[in-house]
Amino acid sequence: GCTQKYIVKNYFYYYLFKFSAALGEEIFYITFLPFTYWNIDHSVSRRMIIVWSIVMYIGQVSKDILKWPRPLSPPVVKLEMRTNAEYGMPSTHAMAATAISFSFFIATMNQYKYPLELGLVAAFVFSTLVCLSRLYTGMHTVLDVIGGALISAVLLVLLYPAWDTIDHLLLTSPFCPLFSIVVPLVLCYNYPKLDYYSPTRGDTTTILGAAAGATVGFWLNNQYAAPAYTGRGAQPGFPLLTSTVVFVLARFFVGILVVLLTRWAMKSVVLGMLGYRYKFPIRDLAARRRLEVEVPYKFVTYSSVGFTATVIVPLLHELLGLM
């Protein structure tokens, strides 16, 4: 579609909320979640990824079931176009921000010594900035944002009592790898159908694929590498306080480089194979949106990313002496 012309009168708000909006997108997920696993705590990262994948799946499906439209433009000016084809209610940005910030706070408040008020305020500010960014960019109504935040909060309350049980099963059950791959694939292939193409199915497949690959990685590490229960979480205080900034940054940049290379390589390989199988050029966007192409392409690509981030990158860190 065509974009509206607009004049920016307050650059502080413009860049603040454009940046805040990015905190609910792939660029944030693919950096912050692995960073937590590599530099902070394995158990915290596992819980965040579990909550994030469940909350986002429910939010994405709810959009395509409710089919509430986004705000009309005009009168609002939309600063984003990629997600404009999606429905509005609930705001999955609000859901993701609430789920990630408060699951991080809940998972760390009993493990590390820091002012609980500070952690609570940080989680509230983070989620609020993302929620307000959806209003500023014209992508959601107030009701969409409030609904998303409330749904995420309710899901957190329901999931919290089962955190330890789910985590234990995912680490120890012999059926975990099969369950982690088959269930998300079934959900992706049976995603609600719409009369026109929407990126929600592809985004959902991306999220579930990344979570599936990471979950298999968690299980594999617990079975054949150092047990996750006795990882960094057993150390007093945040590792960021006991490790040098150089090592933290080195682990992060090495890891991100490997993750991005994995995503690029798997995307090229899988699309090439699917293009050969279904007889379409790789750059054919319409063909890549077909169910039989989009789901395997995105699921295999991002499950490889999740597996690489949790298994390959830590091995590389150890090999390079960055642990």
Side-chain angles (χ1 to χ4, degrees):
C2 58
T3 57
Q4 289 180 280
K5 293 182 178 180
Y6 56 87
I7 298 174
V8 178
K9 296 182 178 180
N10 190 314
Y11 282 95
F12 174 76
Y13 287 140
Y14 178 79
Y15 288 112
L16 172 65
F17 290 125
K18 288 287 282 185
F19 173 77
S20 300
L23 298 179
E25 297 173 358
E26 181 184 352
I27 184 64
F28 175 72
Y29 304 145
I30 208 169
T31 53
F32 179 71
L33 295 177
F35 179 88
T36 305
Y37 188 78
W38 300 330
N39 290 302
I40 298 180
D41 192 299
H42 288 180
S43 64
V44 171
S45 181
R46 291 197 306 270
R47 284 161 172 77
M48 289 173 62
I49 289 173
I50 291 168
V51 171
W52 167 68
S53 59
I54 293 174
V55 165
M56 288 299 288
Y57 175 77
I58 291 174
Q60 295 285 75
V61 168
S62 298
K63 279 186 178 185
D64 290 342
I65 291 176
L66 293 174
K67 297 183 179 180
W68 287 20
R70 289 187 182 270
L72 294 177
S73 177
V76 304
V77 176
K78 294 186 177 180
L79 305 186
E80 298 177 15
M81 294 308 297
R82 177 188 175 274
T83 58
N84 194 41
E86 297 180 5
Y87 288 108
M89 179 66 170
S91 167
T92 47
H93 273 71
M95 293 183 71
T98 303
I100 289 176
S101 58
F102 282 94
S103 62
F104 181 83
F105 168 66
I106 294 169
T108 57
M109 67 179 183
N110 294 324
Q111 295 192 44
Y112 303 109
K113 294 180 179 179
Y114 65 87
L116 295 184
E117 296 81 5
L118 180 62
L120 186 60
V121 168
F124 179 78
V125 169
F126 176 88
S127 56
T128 299
L129 281 175
V130 176
C131 290
L132 291 176
S133 74
R134 307 316 289 158
L135 303 178
Y136 183 87
T137 54
M139 301 310 296
H140 285 286
T141 65
V142 174
L143 186 59
D144 294 342
V145 170
I146 293 175
L150 287 178
I151 293 171
S152 189
V154 170
L155 289 172
L156 270 174
V157 171
L158 294 176
L159 289 170
Y160 177 70
W163 269 14
D164 291 339
T165 302
I166 295 172
D167 191 48
H168 178 73
L169 287 174
L170 291 179
L171 289 176
T172 60
S173 172
F175 301 104
C176 172
L178 181 64
F179 179 86
S180 299
I181 297 297
V182 172
V183 172
L185 265 178
V186 170
L187 293 176
C188 292
Y189 274 108
N190 290 277
Y191 192 83
K193 293 180 175 59
L194 298 177
D195 295 332
Y196 64 94
Y197 177 80
S198 167
T200 49
R201 184 184 65 203
D203 291 345
T204 305
T205 305
T206 295
I207 293 166
L208 294 185
T215 303
V216 173
F218 297 150
W219 179 87
L220 196 65
N221 286 337
N222 191 63
Q223 298 296 315
Y224 300 105
Y229 284 126
T230 57
R232 297 190 180 95
Q235 302 296 326
F238 276 100
L240 290 175
L241 300 179
T242 58
S243 301
T244 65
V245 174
V246 172
F247 272 82
V248 170
L249 292 177
R251 283 195 292 266
F252 175 71
F253 285 114
V254 167
I256 286 299
L257 178 61
V258 174
V259 164
L260 293 178
L261 285 174
T262 300
R263 184 180 67 167
W264 171 80
M266 292 306 299
K267 178 179 178 180
S268 302
V269 170
V270 176
L271 270 180
M273 293 175 63
L274 290 170
Y276 177 79
R277 168 66 176 82
Y278 293 107
K279 311 300 181 187
F280 68 87
I282 292 179
R283 297 186 180 276
D284 187 343
L285 185 59
R288 287 163 55 175
R289 289 175 170 179
R290 286 154 43 187
L291 174 67
E292 65 272 20
V293 175
E294 184 176 59
V295 170
Y297 144 54
K298 293 201 169 182
F299 191 88
V300 172
T301 298
Y302 284 91
S303 61
S304 301
V305 167
F307 184 82
T308 297
T310 54
V311 176
I312 306 301
V313 170
L315 290 175
L316 184 58
H317 285 164
E318 188 172 359
L319 182 65
L320 296 174
L322 298 176
M323 299 299 288

